[in-house]
Amino acid sequence: FIFINFKLVGGIVLVLAVLVLFWYKTNSWPVVAMVGMRPVTRWEIDRALFARGGKAEVDNRVTELQIHDELNKLGIRVSGSDVDAKIAEIKGSLGQGADLESILSSRGMTLSDYRKQLELLLGVEKAVAGKLAVTEAEVKQYITDNKALFGDASEEAKLKQAEETLRLTKMDTEISKWVTDIKSKSKAWMLVK
């Protein structure tokens, strides 16, 4: 007679069932492919992907978390309606027949991922908004220095375009300074070379 311990077998089956359900629900199967009888593991793929760009991805994620923390400290919140308005603005600026979801998909992004990025960007813009004032003198100087850019545009169009260009330039500069400052003040460490 072979003695079978049904409690042990039942426990093993239960553990395996829970693992399979977990892997299925999280799409984190440990084996992602088979070549003949050799498995290709998720660990191998993760290691290869990390070697190609992992440090940059870790740095991006750390920076994102540092920004979130700073926005929380400052009490800056971005509402879903703010993000919706920005998405509507972006969709409106796309050419006829262009679809935002298709463009994002071609870049390996979902609309949900893009919404998160926009939320972060809008929060950072709110954080630096006080430093984005553009003076009349700056606008006039920009128009004088860049006459060729404006062509035959009306004076009003020149002023509007120059002001927007200067505001965006200042925004890029201030955001870069702000993020650099956050990164220098924040306590973060990485275990990657």
Side-chain angles (χ1 to χ4, degrees), residues 5-164:
N5 185 340
F6 288 107
K7 286 183 180 181
L8 179 63
V9 171
I12 291 171
V13 168
L14 181 64
V15 167
L16 287 175
V18 167
L19 275 175
V20 167
L21 181 65
F22 171 78
W23 290 333
Y24 176 75
K25 290 290 188 182
T26 62
N27 195 23
S28 61
W29 295 96
V31 175
V32 295
M34 292 289 288
V35 178
M37 291 303 291
R38 187 201 175 285
V40 177
T41 65
R42 183 170 300 278
W43 183 78
E44 289 175 273
I45 301 301
D46 288 347
R47 200 174 62 190
L49 289 172
F50 193 84
R52 290 190 190 123
K55 182 167 180 2
E57 285 301 316
V58 170
D59 187 52
N60 288 342
R61 182 65 178 141
V62 166
T63 301
E64 183 181 313
L65 292 172
Q66 290 169 323
I67 290 170
H68 275 293
D69 288 349
E70 186 66 20
L71 291 175
N72 285 334
K73 285 179 196 171
L74 296 172
I76 295 174
R77 303 277 183 266
V78 176
S79 69
S81 60
D82 291 341
V83 176
D84 292 339
K86 188 66 172 176
I87 288 175
E89 178 187 326
I90 291 167
K91 284 182 177 181
S93 71
L94 296 176
Q96 185 120 11
D99 177 50
L100 181 61
E101 286 82 3
S102 299
I103 293 169
L104 293 173
S105 178
S106 71
R107 295 179 181 170
M109 283 184 91
T110 65
L111 186 57
S112 176
D113 295 334
Y114 191 58
R115 287 183 65 82
K116 289 175 188 171
Q117 283 187 356
L118 279 177
E119 183 180 345
L120 193 66
L121 177 62
L122 292 172
V124 172
E125 285 178 4
K126 284 182 178 185
V128 300
K131 300 175 182 180
L132 302 180
V134 176
T135 66
E136 231 180 279
E138 289 173 320
V139 171
K140 287 179 181 179
Q141 186 63 48
Y142 183 82
I143 292 171
T144 302
D145 293 346
N146 298 285
K147 287 180 185 176
L149 293 176
F150 298 103
D152 294 335
S154 69
E155 193 62 30
E156 185 179 326
K158 288 178 186 179
L159 290 170
K160 186 176 180 181
Q161 183 181 351
E163 184 176 353
E164 183 63 14

Side-chain angles (χ1 to χ4, degrees), residues 177-189:
K177 284 183 201 174
W178 190 78
V179 169
T180 300
D181 185 47
I182 288 171
K183 289 179 80 162
S184 69
K185 291 190 305 189
S186 180
K187 293 178 178 114
W189 51 273

Side-chain angles (χ1 to χ4, degrees), residues 159-170:
L159 290 170
K160 186 176 180 181
Q161 183 181 351
E163 184 176 353
E164 183 63 14
T165 300
L166 287 169
R167 191 183 72 72
L168 290 173
T169 301
K170 282 187 175 190

